[in-house]
Amino acid sequence: MSYCVNCGVELDKDAARCPLCQTPVVNPVCPVDTTIPPNFPVERREVEPVNRREAAVLLSAVYGVVSLCCVVLNLLFWWRGMPWSAIVAGACAMLWVWTVLPLLLRSVHSIFLVGLDLLAVAGFLWVISMAVDGGSWLGRLALPIWWGCSVVLLFLWYILPLRSILSRCMLVLGSCVVLMLWLELCIDLFLGGYQPMWSLVVAVVGVTLMAPLLIIRYRPDLRREVRRRFHF
Amino acid sequence: MVRRRGQDKGWFQLDNAAMMYSAIQSGTYSAVYRFSAVMAREVDPQALQRAIDRTMPRFPGFHVKIRKGVFWYYFEPDDTPGPYLQPDIQNPCQPVYFQNKDQLIRFFYYRHRISMEVFHALADGGGALVLFKTLLAVYLRELGEEIPNQEGILDVDEAPDPQEWEDAYARYARSRVRLRKSEPRAYPCTGTPEPFYTLNVTMGFVSVQALRQVAKSHGASITEYLAAVLIQSILARQRREGRRRELPVALAIPINLRPYFPTRTMRNFILTVRPSIDPELGDYTLEEIISQVHHHMRLHITRQEMQGVITRNVFFQNFLPLQLVPVPVKNFVVDTAYRLAGNRPYSTTYTNPGAFRVPEQMAPHIQHMEVVLGQSYTPRVNCASISYGDVMEITFAGTVKETDVERDFFRTLVQDGLHVKVTSNRRE
Ligand SMILES: [Zn+2]
């Protein structure tokens, strides 16, 4: 029998390293016995994951029925002059992507699902624009705004969980500033010429808030000092 | 009496603890624990399957399905054949799902080891050990041994006794006060998560005699001593993380209520006590931690106080406005509350079902016993121990990569002069 030189515990005869501290077993008198069967089985098995298909089917059926009813009603009362059922159907399709896909695609990374959700929003915007046939605002206003929001959201979704609280605050602030600048740019270009006004105010406030955070974040002595002064 | 009426109908209600366990069970969590007996000879699967078939009819409360009613879950006797013995797997205590074919109790064998896994809503450790002990006795009889029905082994030829399936919580919820305990946030002892289906198990074996001597020299019982050493390792871990403000380290220690409230039930009948150490008050030596744990347990494990807590728990279960909330809503609320708060007041769980005693004719056939607690929401280890003869077995199990808690724990035992043998299912 061998002992871990680090922990002082006796080990299995077939243990090549200590399970507690990973120190390799080197015992010239009693080499690691690889012939004896291991103390625990090696075969792995997993129970089947919970079947979410029932919930997915149910939700799909609900969305399908709602869309279908609206289409029928719309066909019966066409006199409104507008295919409003298309909007309802589009909303149902978007909700389907939001709620049913996470049930079906459980193993994929959440950022992929968020991407799909955003694509669904774009699709819904397109359906609305087709229904009210105002194609111009879609390409010039809605899609650029959607594009900006998507980029910022995906970026934050990816990066936030990995950061400290200080960095998170900075990232959220910075993203807000970028988003506001982009928003005003889109709106101004849609209305006529680009004349930055309110977004610049937001940007100045945001950057002013970020600056001290940035300094505190990257100057350890300052960070300690702030902690000492504010007792946290 | 609702219960008796229920039994005539062929179904029965979940008890108070079972309701909690079934509400919080989900795709990523279920309260499953495992008892194993390592036999002197290799297991004969055919004889063991025969023993299971003979034993299970005596324990109808373990051969049930869980069903969803409108307002509550309930148990229904399972008339399908089984449970069937399976070859053991590396990753024990897989979660239980409430689907038709899922068994709430499973049996495994691997070389010398016989294992039984139980969903916690069925029974607590005390109840499950009655079944396990009886099964082992029947198995040894199948192999031709003479084993008497002593030391808590039930006669499998008897008819099941309804008293063994009573809801003891409901019976003892008679206190005038509904006791409510404040349970502040504790240090969450979490680490790097493994893929969910991996359960890392590390077992340590210590002599009971030597352990009792050491615990006695500190003026504590074995449970108190081990709990204190565990708290010390978690405190050391928190210190290494270098937090600005350290949180209290608190253990959830389930207490078997049967010695305090006479009952023959095999269903759940436990409450937890929560010894804790607040490192913000200053550094504690092991001696001081042991003293804290010792006095906390002696102070709070009283019949009166526990009856107050039972009364409160059962009150909520029988509170009509709550009863009328449909199951999915209830589950969602309980599950969310447990995720947010339930794990928070405890750093980890330590459970010690005590000594496993068998008739002397059975003793030479069993080498030692093992116990494993199943998966938890958060990636952290929990601790369980069981003694048999002179072997105390201590298990650390969890879906976490790090081994520092168990390493410090066993090193402390070694420093206290104990001989520790360690084995693990971890593969590099
Ligand atoms: Zn070691």
Side-chain angles (χ1 to χ4, degrees), chain A residues 3-9 11 17-23, chain B residues 407 411:
Chain A
Y3 285 77
C4 172
V5 291
N6 210 7
C7 309
V9 297
L11 304 174
R17 35 183 83 237
C18 168
L20 298 176
C21 69
Q22 304 300 316
T23 305
Chain B
R407 191 184 61 217
R411 280 182 185 174

Side-chain angles (χ1 to χ4, degrees), chain B residues 185-369:
Chain B
R185 194 169 160 222
Y187 166 62
C189 184
T190 53
T192 320
E194 292 268 12
F196 178 71
Y197 287 112
T198 306
L199 188 71
N200 289 323
V201 178
T202 305
M203 293 180 177
F205 299 91
V206 189
S207 154
V208 176
Q209 284 279 319
L211 190 60
R212 188 172 292 127
Q213 292 262 301
V214 169
K216 215 175 190 176
S217 73
H218 292 289
S221 73
I222 291 183
T223 307
E224 289 158 4
Y225 171 71
L226 292 178
V229 175
L230 180 58
I231 289 181
Q232 195 193 32
S233 345
I234 298 174
L235 283 170
R237 181 202 161 111
Q238 182 170 221
R239 184 57 51 83
R240 278 195 300 274
E241 279 181 10
R243 291 173 161 246
R244 274 176 273 129
R245 179 178 294 152
E246 296 192 336
L247 290 164
V249 169
L251 299 184
I253 303 185
I255 298 296
N256 182 8
L257 297 178
R258 290 174 185 82
Y260 306 91
F261 305 100
T263 174
R264 289 174 56 201
T265 192
M266 283 190 253
R267 291 166 70 183
N268 283 296
F269 199 37
I270 45 171
L271 279 183
T272 54
V273 287
R274 180 182 177 277
S276 72
I277 295 288
D278 189 351
E280 288 289 291
L281 295 176
D283 291 343
Y284 285 73
T285 62
L286 179 60
E287 218 63 46
E288 287 162 345
I289 299 175
I290 292 173
S291 157
Q292 285 283 321
V293 173
H294 174 80
H295 289 109
H296 182 97
M297 310 249 306
R298 298 293 153 105
L299 182 63
H300 289 291
I301 306 177
T302 61
R303 202 164 47 79
Q304 292 79 359
E305 197 170 302
M306 290 191 289
Q307 193 155 16
V309 176
I310 297 175
T311 309
R312 174 171 180 268
N313 292 350
V314 172
F315 167 76
F316 275 108
Q317 173 189 333
N318 293 336
F319 189 52
L320 191 70
L322 272 185
Q323 279 191 319
L324 293 180
V325 177
V327 162
V329 180
K330 238 181 247 163
N331 281 354
F332 178 75
V333 172
V334 175
D335 183 68
T336 315
Y338 189 80
R339 270 171 200 259
L340 291 179
N343 268 342
R344 280 251 183 96
Y346 307 111
S347 302
T348 188
T349 308
Y350 168 63
T351 174
N352 183 7
F356 186 73
R357 290 202 181 77
V358 296
E360 53 185 302
Q361 292 90 332
M362 229 169 124
H365 302 286
I366 303 175
Q367 289 184 34
H368 63 257
M369 297 292 298

Side-chain angles (χ1 to χ4, degrees), chain A residues 108-164:
Chain A
V108 301
H109 197 277
S110 65
I111 198 160
F112 179 70
L113 288 174
V114 173
L116 280 177
D117 292 351
L118 288 167
L119 281 178
V121 174
F124 184 50
L125 288 173
W126 178 74
V127 169
I128 295 177
S129 77
M130 295 315 272
V132 299
D133 55 43
S136 70
W137 61 266
L138 177 77
R140 288 177 53 208
L141 183 65
L143 280 186
I145 291 177
W146 169 83
W147 190 81
C149 290
S150 304
V151 169
V152 168
L153 191 68
L154 286 176
F155 171 73
L156 286 180
W157 192 274
Y158 175 72
I159 210 149
L160 273 195
L162 312 170
R163 306 292 148 152
S164 69

Side-chain angles (χ1 to χ4, degrees), chain B residues 98-256:
Chain B
F98 296 174
Q99 281 163 11
N100 218 355
K101 57 184 187 302
D102 270 333
Q103 301 276 356
L104 302 183
I105 184 167
R106 314 179 184 124
F107 294 96
F108 298 93
Y109 72 97
Y110 174 72
R111 301 186 61 231
H112 296 249
R113 186 184 289 118
I114 299 174
S115 303
M116 176 180 84
E117 287 182 2
V118 181
F119 180 43
H120 213 317
L122 294 183
D124 58 18
L129 278 176
V130 175
L131 165 62
F132 198 46
K133 198 183 287 185
T134 307
L135 173 70
L136 292 179
V138 175
Y139 166 68
L140 288 172
R141 281 181 207 139
E142 288 286 332
L143 295 180
E145 306 292 336
E146 285 284 329
I147 310 289
N149 286 321
Q150 294 164 354
E151 297 283 1
I153 294 172
L154 297 183
D155 184 354
V156 287
D157 298 323
E158 270 178 4
D161 182 349
Q163 277 191 13
E164 288 162 1
W165 303 108
E166 76 163 342
D167 182 351
Y169 288 112
R171 181 161 138 204
Y172 286 106
R174 304 245 176 283
S175 175
R176 267 175 294 174
V177 182
R178 295 193 288 268
L179 200 61
R180 185 201 172 89
K181 288 195 181 161
S182 77
E183 298 197 323
R185 194 169 160 222
Y187 166 62
C189 184
T190 53
T192 320
E194 292 268 12
F196 178 71
Y197 287 112
T198 306
L199 188 71
N200 289 323
V201 178
T202 305
M203 293 180 177
F205 299 91
V206 189
S207 154
V208 176
Q209 284 279 319
L211 190 60
R212 188 172 292 127
Q213 292 262 301
V214 169
K216 215 175 190 176
S217 73
H218 292 289
S221 73
I222 291 183
T223 307
E224 289 158 4
Y225 171 71
L226 292 178
V229 175
L230 180 58
I231 289 181
Q232 195 193 32
S233 345
I234 298 174
L235 283 170
R237 181 202 161 111
Q238 182 170 221
R239 184 57 51 83
R240 278 195 300 274
E241 279 181 10
R243 291 173 161 246
R244 274 176 273 129
R245 179 178 294 152
E246 296 192 336
L247 290 164
V249 169
L251 299 184
I253 303 185
I255 298 296
N256 182 8

